[in-house]
């Protein structure tokens, strides 16, 4: 039977599989997804998780809801497109190979780390549940420590929070986190600084909405500094590009993403790190390899010639079903069609009754924007039980304003920039073409190339007692 393997269960991979389940009869293909976690993460609501308004489980859609898809827990660290295999690293750090007949590359993007002294060591990213839960805990811990110290300088550093990157993720995070701090300890004065090299916040909103968002953030007491970034980060301070040194104990880095490192290992053309594909999301030169979402440079047929789609959930969740139809066409069902999607606008919830939104490019601010944002997220969340949980989280929060409690389950090392996103799992060699040789050699050494699929070896760190490498800090 034809095996269709999706790498990554984010917006692109999840929606592609869901549509394939619908389009293909059971006996037409075996569907497999390889993902490091057993859930699809609804990232647009991570700021609500970090702000304590939404439970992490509400935004994690179980992959078990994909009833006809076999889930393989692990990360793909290499792919041999000519040999039609991928190398999967399981949570124990073991490697094995898996065959495929159609390959869907949807591993998304990772936080873009610049060569700024101290950034990798001391900043925290904001792309995963691990990071969102850590930031929630960490803000509360800093406030508690600030409340019990007599040292004025220490108190100031503990209550100063810096967020770099004023896109959707950074702006929404700072708004939600400031509210969390105010609710956790109304007696402490906290300082929130949002930096961005650009000259506006959330420029993707278009029109005058970025200005309105800026006004809304400043009205909340958030210091927004534009045309500025950081040039050095230490454990207890950040130095801005204008030379200002600000003592702080938490710096959140949301200043951009780059395509998954897996894309660079394939030895194929990339555009700004994203794998080049045609408008049908097919990798040139391969009839059975496809890519989409943040990891792929999908042509934007509605934009200027040569434009590629933005790295947004909006695109990825529409590319998924479009690609599913093209894959079904490659199996003789229907016709392949190019991906074409007109931007429907963006929504941003800035906490309380504040928000900005541009549904169908109609500019909204305040409560109407907030209502549109909430309805949009509720409808876009992929499972009924998650929708019910989310609605109940929001409702209970508005009704009872629960006092926040941190469990401190995520350690500093788990939440480090490189560890939370597992940036260290990819073998270090640079392939000449078609993928890195060392990961495949390691897979062969670890186990056997599996025609039937994901059977792991018992060598290397495979002992059930050994510490899972995937959970070790890599940074
Ligand atoms: C905090 C935050 C807020 C955001 N808000 C918005 C918003 O409001 N609106 C909007 O349009 N966009 C938003 N985005 C952007 C949006 O999340 C991305 O554009 C979208 O997730 C891209 O979808 P994707 O399928 O390409 O990748 P993802 O959704 O990131 O999924 C990639 C999947 O692949 C898995 N994976 C990674 N590497 C491997 C590997 N080697 N092997 C196997 N699996 C792998 C990952 O674990 C993940 O499950 C936000 C992003 C963040 C971080």
């Amino acid at each position: 039977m034809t095996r269709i393997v999706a790498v990554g269960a984010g917006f692109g991979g999840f929606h592609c599989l869901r549509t394939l389940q619908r389009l293909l009869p059971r006996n037409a293909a075996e569907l497999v997804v390889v993902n490091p976690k057993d859930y699809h993460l609804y990232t647009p609501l991570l700021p609500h998780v970090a702000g304590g308004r939404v439970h992490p489980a509400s935004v994690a859609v179980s992959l078990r809801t994909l009833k006809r898809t076999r889930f393989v827990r692990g990360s793909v660290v290499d792919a041999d497109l000519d040999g039609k295999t991928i190398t999967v690293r399981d949570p124990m750090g073991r490697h094995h190979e898996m065959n495929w007949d159609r390959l869907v590359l949807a591993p998304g993007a990772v936080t873009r780390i610049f060569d700024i002294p101290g950034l990798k060591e001391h900043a925290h990213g904001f792309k995963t549940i691990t990071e969102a839960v850590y930031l929630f805990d960490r803000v509360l811990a800093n406030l508690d420590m600030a409340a019990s110290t007599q040292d004025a300088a220490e108190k100031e550093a503990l209550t100063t929070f810096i967020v770099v990157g004023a896109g959707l993720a950074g702006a929404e995070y700072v708004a939600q986190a400031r509210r969390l701090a105010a609710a956790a300890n109304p007696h402490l004065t906290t300082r929130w600084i949002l930096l961005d090299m650009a000259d506006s916040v959330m420029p993707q909103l278009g029109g005058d909405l970025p200005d309105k968002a800026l006004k809304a953030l400043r009205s909340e007491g958030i210091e927004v500094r534009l045309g500025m970034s950081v040039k050095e980060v230490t454990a207890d301070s950040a130095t801005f590009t204008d030379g200002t040194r600000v003592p702080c104990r938490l710096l959140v880095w949301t200043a951009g993403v780059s395509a998954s490192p897996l894309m660079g290992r394939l030895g194929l053309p990339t555009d700004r790190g994203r794998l080049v594909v045609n408008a049908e999301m097919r990798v040139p030169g391969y009839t059975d390899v496809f890519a989409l979402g943040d990891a792929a440079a999908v042509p934007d047929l509605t934009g200027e010639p040569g434009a590629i789609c933005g790295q947004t959930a909006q695109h990825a969740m529409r590319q998924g079903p479009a690609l599913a139809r093209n894959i079904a066409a490659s199996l003789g069902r229907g016709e392949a069609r190019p991906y074409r999607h007109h931007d429907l606008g963006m929504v941003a919830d800035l906490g309380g009754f504040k928000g900005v939104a541009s549904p169908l490019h109609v500019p909204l601010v305040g409560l109407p924007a907030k209502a549109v944002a909430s309805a949009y997220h509720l409808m876009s969340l992929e499972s009924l039980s998650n929708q019910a949980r989310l609605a109940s989280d929001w409702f209970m929060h508005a009704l009872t304003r629960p006092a926040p409690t941190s469990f401190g389950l995520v350690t500093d090392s788990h939440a480090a920039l490189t560890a939370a996103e597992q940036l260290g799992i990819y073998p270090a060699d640079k392939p000449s073409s078609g993928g890195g040789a060392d990961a495949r050699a390691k897979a062969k050494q670890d186990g056997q190339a599996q025609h039937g699929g994901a059977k792991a070896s018992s060598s290397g760190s495979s002992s059930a007692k050994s510490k899972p490498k995937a959970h070790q800090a890599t940074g």
Side-chain angles (χ1 to χ4, degrees), residues 111-457:
T111 300
R112 191 163 166 210
I113 304 173
F114 293 86
D115 202 10
I116 296 170
L119 184 72
K120 210 154 62 166
E121 295 77 14
H122 303 295
H124 288 280
F126 189 47
K127 264 194 81 57
T128 62
I129 282 197
T130 306
E131 290 163 324
V133 171
Y134 175 82
L135 292 177
F136 169 78
D137 286 351
R138 182 69 191 272
V139 166
L140 296 181
N142 280 16
L143 296 182
D144 292 341
M145 289 188 285
S148 51
T149 182
Q150 301 305 317
D151 180 334
E154 173 78 353
K155 192 186 283 276
E156 191 189 330
L158 284 164
T159 51
T160 299
F161 302 93
I162 298 175
V163 180
V164 187
L168 274 173
E172 288 192 294
Y173 169 70
V174 77
Q176 297 291 345
R178 193 207 65 78
R179 281 177 179 269
L180 166 69
N185 192 336
H187 309 294
L188 269 180
T189 305
T190 53
R191 184 179 181 199
W192 294 84
I193 305 173
L194 179 64
L195 301 178
D196 201 300
M197 281 308 275
D199 56 8
S200 71
V201 301
M202 299 185 278
Q204 61 271 57
L205 284 165
D208 64 353
L209 284 180
D211 290 341
K212 296 206 159 120
L214 179 64
K215 223 164 126 188
L217 289 166
R218 286 190 168 146
S219 74
E220 291 284 299
I222 295 160
E223 292 174 39
V224 185
R225 302 204 188 175
L226 299 171
M228 203 179 292
S229 184
V230 287
K231 65 177 184 186
E232 188 179 5
V233 186
T234 67
D236 50 20
S237 73
T239 306
F240 299 167
T241 42
D242 69 351
T244 314
R245 184 180 165 277
V246 178
C248 78
R249 288 288 153 73
L250 181 62
L251 184 139
V252 184
W253 179 257
T254 69
V257 294
S258 43
S260 160
L262 180 62
M263 298 298 102
R265 298 193 57 75
L266 304 175
L268 291 171
T270 53
D271 182 346
R272 282 154 276 178
R274 299 166 74 185
L275 189 64
V276 169
V277 292
N278 66 18
E280 291 174 7
M281 291 169 274
R282 200 185 291 266
V283 175
Y286 294 90
T287 51
D288 37 24
V289 183
F290 307 83
L292 72 164
D294 283 3
V298 179
D300 182 356
L301 301 184
T302 68
E304 303 278 307
I308 56 174
C309 294
Q311 287 170 301
T312 64
Q314 188 184 140
H315 272 299
M317 68 201 288
R318 282 168 180 82
Q319 287 166 359
L323 177 55
R325 283 190 288 276
N326 293 347
I327 292 173
S330 79
L331 297 172
R333 289 165 198 276
E335 268 183 33
R337 270 180 290 169
Y339 171 75
R340 183 187 296 271
H341 168 66
H342 286 277
D343 180 33
L344 297 176
M346 303 294 274
V347 296
D349 183 334
L350 299 176
F353 295 125
K354 299 206 162 129
V356 283
S358 55
L360 302 172
H361 304 284
V362 177
L364 297 175
V365 285
L367 199 53
K370 170 118 184 163
V372 168
S374 305
Y376 175 79
H377 291 314
L378 206 51
M379 275 161 36
S380 305
L381 202 52
E382 289 83 355
S383 106
L384 200 59
S385 64
N386 287 80
Q387 289 171 330
R389 272 183 170 164
L390 176 64
S392 132
D393 288 349
W394 280 338
F395 182 68
M396 291 307 289
H397 197 273
L399 201 68
T400 65
R401 303 229 168 266
T405 315
S406 64
F407 291 97
L409 296 176
V410 182
T411 62
D412 285 348
S413 59
H414 281 133
L417 253 179
T418 47
E421 294 186 51
Q422 297 197 323
L423 299 186
I425 61 173
Y426 300 94
D429 75 318
K430 261 280 180 237
S432 52
S433 70
D438 66 339
R440 285 195 292 281
K442 175 91 174 82
K444 293 216 167 80
Q445 187 192 340
D446 270 4
Q448 323 73 11
Q450 293 285 319
H451 216 78
K455 192 170 153 208
S457 71

Side-chain angles (χ1 to χ4, degrees), residues 14-35:
F14 186 90
H15 285 272
C16 180
L17 287 163
R18 209 153 78 154
T19 308
L20 279 171
Q21 290 188 160
R22 200 165 38 77
L23 291 180
L24 298 177
R26 273 183 190 280
N27 58 3
E30 179 197 4
L31 303 179
V32 181
V33 63
V34 185
N35 199 67

